[in-house]
Amino acid sequence: SIEGIDELGRLRGPATFQVVEDMANAAMNGGTPMEAIFARRLDLIRPTAAELAAIGAKYIATVEPTAQDTLAQLRAAGWKIAIVSGGFTQAIRPLADFLGIERVEAVTLRFHPDGSYAGFDESCPTCKSKGKNVVARRLRAEHRADHVVMVGDGASDLEVKGDADIVVGFGRYAQRPKVVAGADKFIHSLAELTGAI
């Protein structure tokens, strides 16, 4: 139920939070390319390794209430599940472990030995526009998948149309008009996902 980048921005005070939230919304609503804001947000925040760990714990504490049951049903039906995100690997990995998801395709941050911010891995596809498409194609090839489904609430998830067979918009926490209009299907709870696919 939280956006990690917003939570990190909140740690730097109301002014920084507002700037970071505005940039995140512009990207997730589809008006701003990811490359235009990705490094800028991180340079403003300069998150520490400890702060990323705290966000990871917050992801678990605020996890979508039907996620675990839904993922268990999908696994039983033979689906392979991955988290594909423009968020940060170090914060997402604890949530993935909690949910039993092995594969995380996100952006790896770098830290100095004292835990201070040292940049990010610019080779990670999801820090760029259409990066999730690259990951979707890679996963399809690796798993020789007949069907690829993307579930998400942002414009970068919607972009995966064509590289995913179905894009399912997710609206429990945010309903972005572009995603509502463009998704192949739209759900308000992960519990609806098994029926949708």
Side-chain angles (χ1 to χ4, degrees):
S1 66
I2 62 167
E3 286 291 341
I5 191 71
D6 289 352
E7 297 304 310
L8 289 167
R10 202 183 306 277
L11 295 174
R12 300 295 178 262
T16 300
F17 168 71
Q18 190 62 59
V19 171
V20 169
E21 184 184 45
D22 289 348
M23 284 192 279
N25 283 334
M28 293 189 81
N29 288 325
T32 303
M34 187 64 76
E35 294 87 341
I37 63 161
F38 201 89
R40 248 179 92 209
R41 294 182 305 179
L42 285 168
D43 286 340
L44 272 173
I45 298 168
R46 303 193 66 75
T48 66
E51 289 167 341
L52 250 64
I55 297 299
K58 210 168 197 179
Y59 280 151
I60 294 169
T62 60
V63 71
E64 201 272 0
T66 66
Q68 287 182 296
D69 288 342
T70 300
L71 294 176
Q73 290 171 32
L74 291 170
R75 282 188 196 96
W79 289 93
K80 296 197 183 304
I81 300 158
I83 294 177
V84 181
S85 174
F88 311 122
T89 305
Q90 293 96 325
I92 294 169
R93 184 76 257 165
L95 174 65
D97 292 343
F98 175 78
L99 294 172
I101 299 172
E102 290 180 25
R103 185 72 170 263
V104 173
E105 292 277 352
V107 182
T108 302
L109 300 190
R110 295 189 181 109
F111 298 99
H112 295 291
D114 67 355
S116 62
Y117 178 67
F120 67 96
D121 182 351
E122 294 182 35
S123 71
C124 297
T126 59
C127 70
K128 303 172 182 78
S129 296
K130 299 278 192 173
K132 291 180 179 179
N133 298 65
V134 171
V135 175
R137 290 191 299 269
R138 181 187 300 159
L139 291 171
R140 183 187 298 275
E142 281 179 26
H143 296 287
R144 297 181 179 165
D146 293 327
H147 301 286
V148 174
V149 176
M150 171 59 99
V151 180
D153 66 357
S156 65
D157 303 306
L158 195 59
E159 285 180 345
V160 182
K161 268 186 142 178
D163 289 309
D165 301 292
I166 300 172
V167 173
V168 179
F170 178 68
R172 183 178 202 109
Y173 304 109
Q175 293 185 31
R176 296 178 174 89
K178 185 173 182 174
V179 178
V180 173
D184 299 306
K185 302 191 179 198
F186 197 84
I187 60 174
H188 295 87
S189 162
L190 287 179
E192 299 170 51
L193 182 58
T194 50
I197 62 172

